[in-house]
């Protein structure tokens, strides 16, 4: 196995302009403050979160009962993580003070033995660790760790981190392979990848061992969850369901799992943890399991937007090639988890196909979850919407036509906040090749990297109007004059073969991508300028013929961006629109529209509605199709104007 | 308003051969005996019905508690109704004795004041009539009445009928417009049409008045169901649903309802009762309401098979043109109710469009509910089935790939039994035109009618291999020599304009259908022979372009029969099959297949599955379609061989 790549610290990255800085500012100025109010039940008209209330009650600072979901603590953790990333690139003493004060409250709730979960502290500690399957203790701890680590990295403050390390100590006493320990693992994964992060910053092997235990033990017989239910008389939502323990990816050992099954968010969090443990342990059987799951997930169970989870029932996967566009779940959090998994696969094995999926999810299925003003959110990200169906058919009622203010189960907004705020983490990785360092650039956005390569200070400024324009300029600053490293640039999978071009200081290079990357071999000099051009013709994309819902249809993409039709631009009855193989598209930058997007224009066909006397059924006669001008907008930007129909996959007349 | 038509007694009709006698024999030899065992909990391995047990407990003949659904009594009633019809055309003293004994038990359960509902007799009479909305008392009484009337008509025995008339007396004391009465109506309609039957055989106006009261009062404000819930603290399943009281068609007065809404079976039972009351009262506002509901139901909310009810949720209608083929409910009982409604509309206004729907439902969406051996049944009648989806996607789990033995809620099998056993009722009606009697023949099947027309004995023998063959021969026997009446024959809507031909005693007549019927004006002589030929080319049918699920697709019909493709004949991945506008079909009578069916053959196209390296998404290239021979079978006969895919609507390459 190749030596895995390493990430660069977020502090070395600045998103300087372009597409993503707008999103980051939304997170900083809208989402984080709004969420803090939500955690403190200060949003008028919204159901209370009870999150900080629970911590205060658990700390004895307030009286009352536990409120909200059993996993309510994690809302604070995800908020703190987003705050930490935001502080990294935008110091804000007031926000930091707010976070410090919140951490004080949280730490005050910690029990003498290290335990820290408000649900059980308030409702009775005797029941703790009796429902690892359902009650999210380890899930909350996982998010806690991620938040605490990020906050420590951003501020150097380790109060919460130290507190949580004591909690992890307690978990290690209670859960593990030894006699007298619970041989369990979390019902909702995430702690696995958090423990690997903890291992990475502490280099204490026992954290890695615990993560590995959770992964190795998962789904082994006798099944821990079954035993736990029997011993504690726990109730089980999936007793009569086809899910059984695979809802939790615990129906069989993870190395025997080769299809993405069960709750989609849980699945991709597990797979991310598996990839982390595989990277740190070098276990080839775990790498193989990750690859098998990746292949199934991305080649048989993923929407073209990077959405995953075909069914509302269990917010879960269904079966191969089952990708309904209108009854999809496609949870924002699941696409976020897919980004986590993709990044980890990329660092296990720098192959552009991982970067392609990461980019697809980032530009489409994740950010579609947030309105352009950062104030409302989708859980469910459909690829086809009919407002009447959402209102009048229960099977479509989970598909909302408009984003909602906030949620009782508020997982998606803070999850999106922490992803966007940490975007810098996803742009680069560093590895070694032929005894030199190699810098991989996976994503292109206006940014400044300031790092060390070849033992020297190296800064790379990326200038681009990606994803709208085709040209990306990289300028290298090397104060010491030169540095010898390799520089690998991802040639996206959406780019037509041989169509890209690259120049170094104006001179064209003729390179063939290997596994999705071209490599500039270095050494580099101060002031070197690389220009990469990725032609972005409008593409018609078809799905595998096994995908019933997309059969006979195409979707339209340009660069990494998936497009859609909205009723606002194109009228109702989008299902009556047909493209033809020779449909020609033009692109237009529309700065005033949807905070600035490139729209696509074409003239397609619209099947005429008229039936003689409006008959529901009649003898077939070749239909009349009339020319229909269309305006396409980026999928992520849908549902920001008037509510109406939306559609990604459009019929192809052929 | 034209004077309504009248039905002919079932006793005047014999189904002599052909398509339907096979079904009638199945009902007589399989369904009725099996159902009797089921009612008596004698089916091994099946959940007990408790139906007769409940009657015995209520009669004090047995101890025990109430078992089964709150509407369990109606299972007996529907069984008795089927028995009665069966005795009409196949006397069977042993079966009649069984029925008599059962009636004795049922009558023994009747309370001194006439009340007869085992749920409340066993569980406490103080609660009776406190949940008309949910607890099916009036529904059970309605079915009771239908069964008792049919049994009286078949056997002349009125023990149960008299008992039920006492129960109706009690209902009339308790429910009605007077002060001190409950101003209520049934939560599940059916009693309305049953009361009109009772009025027809007794000519007692008060029964008609009660039916009219239930219809007029329905949905008036203040809403009775709301008041009833508040007074009795009843629970309500639809409190937070978009249904509200329209689940029961009680959200507004029936004359303000112009769309088929709510539970589909309830809806068509109500509409049938409305049409009955409209016929008997001549109320034009009620006729208009029936026509508006008919138009909406059949022109915007009906499947091409005569299936109705687009959603499993509430077994209900959704919205106009929402006709998903794979998540349909399409309950067998709802199509049966549609036959009831169609027949009543036909008798209000002899227009072939009602006959067309009646025929469509009879040959497709009703009988698809029963296996060819009469031993297993569908509740849900999908137009598209993917076995993997039924197993692995909750949204398709109600769609079964194989008919089931019997049901806990056993409404469909006995309902189908009573429909098939009374098929003779649907063939003819008699009206008056130009001071002469006019005999309408709506349906064509091998049969013998023995009736009186023009005051004379007239027998008509219909010989045909309909729906497989195009020719129908009618031979008139008039022992007195001649009879002067008009004879109207339905020219089905599926028949191409001008394509039919008719001869009388070998001489062609050139008639133009009016409202779907041609009229032979008479007088007729003994031995007159009419031959009607209805050419049956294979037709490709398209749906209204607003029907999203059928857009770009066609279905195949021949005569009244809708065809489908099954995996058994055509392999898997039916969604990859394309027809072209010039696809040519041949027909073949296959006596050994599916108890004898005409199959269709054609060569269509199959889109090839290959994608370079199996990619889930790739740049569009015009697909490769290879010739694909297909065998089509009648829709009603699907799922009688090996389980597999089935599809009615097939893509049209255009």
């Amino acid at each position: 196995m190749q030596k895995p790549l390493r990430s660069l610290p977020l502090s070395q990255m600045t998103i300087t302009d372009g597409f993503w800085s707008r999103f980051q500012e939304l997170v900083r100025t809208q989402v984080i403050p709004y969420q803090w109010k939500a955690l403190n039940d200060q949003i008028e008209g919204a159901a209370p979160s009870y999150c900080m209330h629970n911590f205060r009650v658990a700390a004895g600072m307030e009286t009352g009962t536990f409120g909200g979901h059993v996993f309510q603590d994690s809302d604070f953790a995800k908020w703190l993580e987003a705050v930490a990333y935001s502080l990294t690139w935008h110091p804000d003493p007031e926000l930091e003070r707010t976070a410090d004060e919140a951490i004080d409250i949280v730490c005050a709730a910690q029990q003498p033995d290290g335990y820290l979960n408000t649900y059980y502290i308030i409702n009775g500690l005797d029941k703790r660790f009796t429902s690892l399957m359902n009650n999210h203790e380890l899930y909350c701890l996982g998010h806690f760790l991620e938040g605490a680590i990020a906050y420590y990295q951003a501020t150097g403050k380790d109060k919460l981190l130290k507190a949580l390390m004591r909690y992890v100590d307690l978990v290690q006493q209670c859960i593990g392979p030894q006699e007298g320990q619970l041989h369990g693992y979390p019902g909702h994964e995430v702690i696995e990848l958090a423990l690997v992060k903890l291992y990475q910053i502490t280099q204490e092997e026992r954290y890695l061992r615990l993560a590995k235990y959770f992964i190795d033990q998962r789904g082994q017989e006798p099944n821990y969850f079954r035993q736990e239910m029997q011993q504690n008389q726990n109730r089980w939502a999936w007793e009569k369901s086809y899910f059984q323990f695979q809802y939790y990816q615990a129906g069989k050992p993870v190395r025997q799992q080769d299809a993405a099954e069960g709750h989609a968010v849980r699945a991709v969090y597990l797979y991310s943890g598996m990839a982390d443990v595989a990277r740190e342990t070098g276990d080839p059987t775990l790498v193989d399991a990750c690859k098998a799951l990746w292949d199934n997930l991305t080649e048989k169970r993923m929407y073209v937007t990077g959405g995953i989870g075909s069914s509302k029932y269990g917010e879960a996967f269904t079966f191969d090639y089952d990708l309904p566009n209108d009854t999809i779940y496609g949870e924002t959090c699941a696409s976020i988890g897919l980004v986590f998994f993709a990044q980890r696969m990329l660092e296990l094995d720098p192959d552009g196909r991982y970067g392609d999926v990461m980019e697809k999810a980032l530009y489409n299925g994740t950010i579609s979850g947030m309105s352009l003003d950062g104030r409302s959110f989708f859980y469910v990200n459909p690829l086809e919407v009919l407002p009447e169906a959402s209102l009048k058919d229960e099977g479509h009622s989970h598909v909302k036509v408009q984003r909602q203010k906030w949620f009782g189960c508020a997982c998606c907004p803070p999850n999106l906040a922490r992803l966007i705020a940490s975007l810098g983490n996803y742009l680069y990785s560093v590895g070694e090749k032929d005894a030199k360092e190699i810098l991989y650039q996976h994503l292109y956005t206006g940014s400044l990297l300031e790092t060390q390569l070849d033992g020297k200070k190296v800064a790379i400024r990326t200038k681009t109007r990606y994803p709208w324009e085709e040209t990306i300029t990289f300028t290298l600053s090397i104060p010491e004059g030169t540095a010898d490293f390799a520089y690998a640039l991802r040639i996206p999978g959406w780019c037509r073969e041989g169509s890209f071009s690259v120049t170094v200081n104006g001179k064209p290079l003729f390179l063939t991508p290997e596994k999705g990357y071209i490599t500039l071999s270095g050494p580099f000099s101060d002031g070197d300028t690389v220009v990469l051009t990725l032609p972005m013709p409008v593409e018609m994309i078809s799905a595998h013929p096994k995908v019933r819902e997309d059969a006979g249809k195409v979707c339209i993409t340009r660069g990494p961006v998936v497009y859609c039709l909205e009723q606002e631009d194109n009228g109702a009855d989008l299902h009556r629109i047909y493209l033809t193989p020779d449909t020609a598209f033009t692109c237009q930058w529309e700065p005033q529209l949807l905070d600035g997007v490139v729209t696509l224009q074409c003239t397609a066909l619209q099947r005429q509605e008229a039936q003689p006397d409006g008959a529901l059924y009649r003898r077939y006669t070749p239909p009349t199709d009339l020319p229909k001008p269309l305006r396409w907008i980026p999928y992520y930007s849908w549902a920001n104007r008037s509510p109406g129909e939306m559609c990604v996959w459009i019929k192809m007349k052929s």
Side-chain angles (χ1 to χ4, degrees), chain A residues 2 35 65 141 232 325 337 352 359 439 525 528 638:
Chain A
Q2 185 179 346
Q35 196 186 356
T65 55
L141 174 52
N232 304 312
N325 295 305
E359 185 180 61
L439 176 71
S525 304
D528 275 353
W638 85 278

Side-chain angles (χ1 to χ4, degrees), chain A residues 340-637:
Chain A
F340 299 162
F341 185 27
Q343 184 201 28
R344 284 159 171 84
M345 292 307 289
L346 204 47
E347 297 191 346
L348 266 181
D349 175 14
D351 187 327
R353 69 198 193 107
Y354 303 120
D356 289 343
V357 168
M358 185 167 81
E359 185 180 61
K360 179 189 281 291
L362 279 170
Y363 282 96
N364 302 287
T366 56
I367 53 174
S368 57
M370 187 163 79
S371 64
L372 292 176
D373 64 4
R375 294 179 184 210
S376 58
F377 299 88
F378 278 136
Y379 252 53
V380 171
N381 294 277
L383 277 72
E384 183 177 323
V385 153
L386 185 74
E388 197 169 17
S390 296
L391 285 177
K392 299 181 183 172
D393 172 31
E394 200 265 349
H396 290 78
S397 61
H398 64 291
V399 176
K400 305 300 179 199
V401 181
Q402 291 179 279
R403 293 179 184 82
Q404 313 284 302
K405 266 321 258 184
W406 200 258
F407 298 89
C409 170
C411 71
C412 296
N415 218 350
L416 201 49
R418 69 183 182 129
L419 175 75
I420 292 171
S422 64
L423 185 82
N425 273 338
Y426 298 87
L427 271 53
Y428 293 96
S429 309
V430 177
E432 246 179 61
K433 195 175 181 183
D434 305 331
K436 280 207 288 195
E437 277 183 311
I438 177 167
L439 176 71
Y440 287 91
Q441 183 155 0
H442 311 302
L443 300 173
Y444 305 117
T445 189
S447 59
L448 175 64
L449 169 70
E450 294 168 296
T451 190
Q452 291 243 332
L453 291 163
D454 186 28
K456 294 168 186 163
K457 273 180 111 168
V458 174
I460 299 182
R461 182 173 293 278
T462 303
K463 286 189 98 168
T464 180
R465 295 200 60 248
Y466 198 91
W468 310 126
E469 294 187 4
E470 301 174 343
T471 305
I472 309 144
T473 304
F474 312 90
T475 312
L476 283 70
S477 302
I478 306 171
E480 296 180 46
T482 62
D484 193 11
F485 62 94
Y487 187 14
L489 296 170
R490 183 175 141 262
I491 305 302
W494 53 257
C495 202
R496 289 190 177 217
E497 200 181 325
S499 73
F500 76 93
S501 61
V502 62
T503 64
V504 177
N505 300 326
K507 284 180 209 136
L509 287 187
F510 301 96
L511 296 169
T512 303
E514 280 173 47
K515 288 173 79 178
Y517 288 83
I518 52 167
T519 303
L520 311 178
S521 53
F524 294 95
S525 304
D526 186 45
D528 275 353
T529 299
V530 180
V531 178
L532 176 64
T533 303
L534 301 171
M536 293 183 174
V538 177
E539 302 281 10
M540 300 199 209
I541 302 294
S542 60
H544 192 289
K546 284 263 187 191
V547 181
R548 295 177 314 289
E549 300 268 357
D550 301 338
K553 298 179 181 177
V554 294
C555 78
I556 303 302
T557 64
R558 179 175 176 272
V561 178
V562 174
Y563 279 77
C564 69
L565 295 178
E566 271 199 314
Q567 183 174 340
E568 169 122 358
D569 301 307
N570 305 293
D573 282 1
L574 298 176
H575 73 275
R576 291 197 285 118
I577 291 173
Y578 284 73
L579 298 173
T580 57
D582 59 356
T583 299
F585 292 83
T586 58
C587 309
Q588 191 179 343
W589 167 246
E590 302 202 43
Q592 303 307 318
L593 184 70
L594 298 165
D595 286 352
V597 290
V598 166
T599 59
L600 310 180
Q601 286 74 32
C602 72
T603 298
L605 298 171
Q606 184 164 42
R607 190 139 292 181
Q608 294 310 291
E609 191 190 320
Q611 290 265 54
D613 65 37
L616 184 54
Y617 303 108
R618 66 181 185 106
R619 203 162 295 126
Y620 173 80
T621 51
T624 310
D625 297 327
L626 292 182
K628 168 78 180 170
L630 299 177
R631 174 156 85 166
W632 304 73
I633 61 164
Y635 169 74
Y636 76 81
S637 68

Side-chain angles (χ1 to χ4, degrees), chain A residues 316-333:
Chain A
F317 294 103
T318 53
F319 54 96
D320 287 350
Y321 300 115
D322 182 46
L323 296 164
N325 295 305
D326 60 339
T327 56
I328 179 178
Y329 203 72
E331 187 177 339
T332 306
C333 285

Side-chain angles (χ1 to χ4, degrees), chain A residues 241-267:
Chain A
S241 165
Y242 48 77
F243 286 134
Q244 295 293 302
F245 294 113
Q246 274 300 85
Y247 173 78
Y248 315 89
Q249 301 77 44
K252 48 193 168 186
V254 300
R255 286 171 185 78
Q256 292 171 28
Q257 298 190 28
D258 54 8
E261 292 186 335
H263 186 257
V265 174
R266 281 174 166 83

